Amino acid sequence: MAETLPPPGRLRIAVAISRQPGDVHEWVLLLPAGATVADALCACGLDAQAEGLVWGIWGREGRLDDLLHDGDRVEGCRPLRVDPKLARRQRFARQGARAAGLFAKRRPGAKSGY
């Protein structure tokens, strides 16, 4: 199935936000050329400051005045609560060396590392 192109002078933009785990909202918009991240959020009825999310384009942090290109995806992500490296260290300490890692779940009687 061929994807249709937006009309000349218009941009097809997707906006996705996740206010809480498992809760994702997505909008597909047609915006005029020269539109910014703030314009896309306004078209969705979102207030960038009130949401308390970090905004970016295709997973890279951006600013509200960044220009958008056709096919861009504006994403609103929740800030991290815990440093991922610290969380991994704490999880490893709880599980212990034998219960964590790539080869933790082996078949009964299997050689180590397989």
Side-chain angles (χ1 to χ4, degrees):
M1 182 169 138
E3 189 173 321
T4 60
L5 296 173
R10 307 284 282 176
L11 306 173
R12 179 170 288 139
I13 304 296
V15 177
I17 64 168
S18 177
R19 292 182 178 112
Q20 59 190 8
D23 179 33
V24 178
H25 298 278
E26 190 168 359
W27 296 265
V28 177
L29 309 168
L30 281 176
L31 298 175
T36 63
V37 171
D39 296 333
L41 298 177
C42 184
C44 295
L46 300 172
D47 181 9
Q49 275 71 29
E51 294 293 331
L53 302 173
V54 177
W55 299 100
I57 302 170
W58 285 113
R60 294 199 172 159
E61 191 172 350
R63 299 184 319 258
L64 294 176
D65 60 350
D66 285 346
L67 289 176
L68 296 171
H69 301 88
D70 186 45
D72 276 349
R73 177 182 167 98
V74 176
E75 300 167 342
C77 302
R78 297 179 310 277
L80 294 176
R81 293 185 186 173
V82 179
D83 177 31
K85 289 182 183 180
L86 176 62
R88 183 176 184 274
R89 284 189 203 111
Q90 290 173 345
R91 193 169 51 249
F92 187 80
R94 270 195 324 269
Q95 293 174 346
R98 293 196 177 270
L102 181 61
F103 301 110
K105 296 179 182 175
R106 296 192 311 250
R107 295 187 324 263
K111 295 180 188 176
S112 178
Y114 290 93

